[in-house]
Amino acid sequence: MTNPTALPTRNWFASYPLTPASARLARQHSRLRLAAWQWRGDLDDAVLVVSELVANAARHGKVTGHHLWLRLALAEDDELIVDVSDPRREFPAFEGGGAASGEGGRGLVVVRQLVRELEWFRRDGQGKTVRATLPRKG
């Protein structure tokens, strides 16, 4: 688990519609943000994680009139925290390990291989957040 006392040194939020096109936009925005921050982790891995988590939220978290939220934060130890929040409180695929079935379900399997930690939690009020933590290089 990420050090709970480590404060984010950089923090960025964006809201996206719950549509498939949001994954592409989130990927582009995240790449630009992380490059601007000169994050010392694997940029391609981070962008792939963002893309997969946003795509999952857009596909499975859809509630009319709501958006998804993406948060990127750098902790003091330069670990990257990726939070993707959507309005649905349940996440059955997470408990099942994100096992692949047919053409879908592979995203979480890939994400788990790229991150140091992957977890999810319910938010107060409505919805959930999936959090991935990626280490910096070396």
Side-chain angles (χ1 to χ4, degrees):
M1 178 175 205
T2 303
N3 179 354
T5 61
L7 298 174
T9 58
R10 304 202 183 224
N11 215 1
W12 176 78
F13 297 87
S15 173
Y16 299 94
L18 287 158
T19 64
S22 293
R24 180 181 55 81
L25 290 171
R27 194 169 45 245
Q28 292 170 344
H29 296 156
S30 297
R31 184 175 295 281
L32 290 171
R33 177 64 48 185
L34 294 173
W37 286 348
Q38 298 178 345
W39 180 57
R40 296 176 301 187
D42 189 313
L43 190 59
D44 291 331
D45 285 357
V47 169
L48 179 58
V49 167
V50 166
S51 182
E52 289 294 338
L53 295 181
V54 168
N56 280 347
R59 183 177 304 116
H60 302 294
K62 190 167 221 142
V63 173
T64 302
H66 291 271
H67 287 85
L68 67 87
W69 285 90
L70 169 64
R71 172 183 174 249
L72 301 178
L74 292 184
E76 290 172 340
D77 57 5
D78 209 30
E79 281 195 323
L80 174 65
I81 300 164
V82 177
D83 286 345
V84 177
S85 303
D86 69 61
R88 294 221 182 256
R89 291 184 57 83
E90 63 279 343
F91 193 6
F94 197 90
E95 280 87 5
S101 61
E103 289 300 311
R106 295 186 183 111
L108 284 180
V109 173
V110 171
V111 167
R112 287 180 194 278
Q113 294 174 6
L114 298 176
V115 302
R116 186 182 64 70
E117 183 174 23
L118 183 66
E119 60 186 331
W120 78 282
F121 51 91
R122 288 188 174 96
R123 294 190 337 255
D124 289 340
Q126 181 178 0
K128 68 179 167 302
T129 297
V130 178
R131 175 172 289 165
T133 305
L134 290 91
R136 66 182 173 95
K137 289 181 184 173

